[in-house]
Amino acid sequence: MSETEDRFNNFDEDMINKLYDTAMAIKNENHDNPNNKTIFSSVNKRMAVTDAAMHIAYILTELKDKVLVVNLDSRSTAAVEEYIHSKAKPNLFTTLRNSMFLSEAINHSAFEKLDIIHVEEMDEEELMAKFNDYNVLSKLSPLKSYYDHIFLIGPPFEECENYGAFLELADSAVTVISAKKNDRQELNHYLQKINLFNVKSFGIL
């Protein structure tokens, strides 16, 4: 049993079924809409977002699909690397500074059909400036020609004043919440923001 498969044992049967159902919903959507890009995010559950995104990516690779994960949360880099062992260094904007092609930032993981790009660590103001300077959406969209799925890992909503910069990169969203405690007002605010950017929701995990 691989380490990633072993980590599935940390989920109860209900959660595993939800992850699989979400993976299949994304697979079906991307069959009909091959340009779809999916953001995984939450109000304040960084680790849960990483778990959900990487487990669903793993499920899809087991179904022979090719997945690119673009990690836009620099504080999640170590957690993502625990799953995929790519030894990737954050290089999204470092690459775009010297190249027009985001494909040159892609790192291969220990899984044949799962690749990764990490964003460099920087404060929100600098990150937003980089998004504007390099027009990340225009660089990201062509990568769908090489992958069945592009997943974006977003930082927690409550940590960012300008979350629209992340949502404008996505066509669909998976929102992760706590099973025990949620700030309903903040969650509703985030879901309204998703709707404002016309991002299709695959539901809540």
Side-chain angles (χ1 to χ4, degrees), residues 49-119:
V49 167
T50 300
D51 285 341
M54 300 315 297
H55 276 302
I56 290 173
Y58 176 74
I59 290 168
L60 291 168
T61 62
E62 288 291 285
L63 296 171
K64 309 304 180 185
D65 284 356
K66 194 169 184 181
V67 183
L68 173 65
V69 176
V70 182
N71 176 25
L72 298 173
D73 180 14
S74 62
R75 292 178 61 186
S76 293
T77 300
V80 172
E81 286 296 313
E82 285 182 13
Y83 277 88
I84 60 176
H85 310 293
S86 71
K87 298 181 180 178
K89 302 298 183 185
N91 66 343
L92 193 158
F93 291 113
T94 303
T95 299
L96 292 181
R97 188 173 62 211
N98 301 304
S99 172
M100 294 179 60
F101 304 105
L102 189 54
S103 58
E104 295 186 16
I106 293 171
N107 293 275
H108 302 300
S109 75
F111 301 95
E112 181 182 358
K113 294 183 177 293
L114 180 56
D115 294 337
I116 184 73
I117 299 174
H118 292 294
V119 73

Side-chain angles (χ1 to χ4, degrees), residues 104-171:
E104 295 186 16
I106 293 171
N107 293 275
H108 302 300
S109 75
F111 301 95
E112 181 182 358
K113 294 183 177 293
L114 180 56
D115 294 337
I116 184 73
I117 299 174
H118 292 294
V119 73
E120 297 88 340
E121 185 174 358
M122 59 188 73
D123 62 35
E124 183 182 359
E125 184 177 352
E126 183 181 4
L127 181 61
M128 293 303 106
K130 296 287 188 185
F131 270 77
N132 291 330
D133 290 345
Y134 292 105
N135 192 358
V136 174
L137 179 59
S138 70
K139 306 296 193 304
L140 183 63
S141 295
L143 298 182
K144 275 298 282 161
S145 299
Y146 307 101
Y147 293 92
D148 298 296
H149 313 282
I150 292 181
F151 288 176
L152 312 172
I153 295 179
F157 177 65
E158 69 174 14
E159 294 182 9
C160 302
E161 292 186 12
N162 186 15
Y163 214 84
F166 302 103
L167 293 175
E168 70 180 4
L169 302 177
D171 306 285

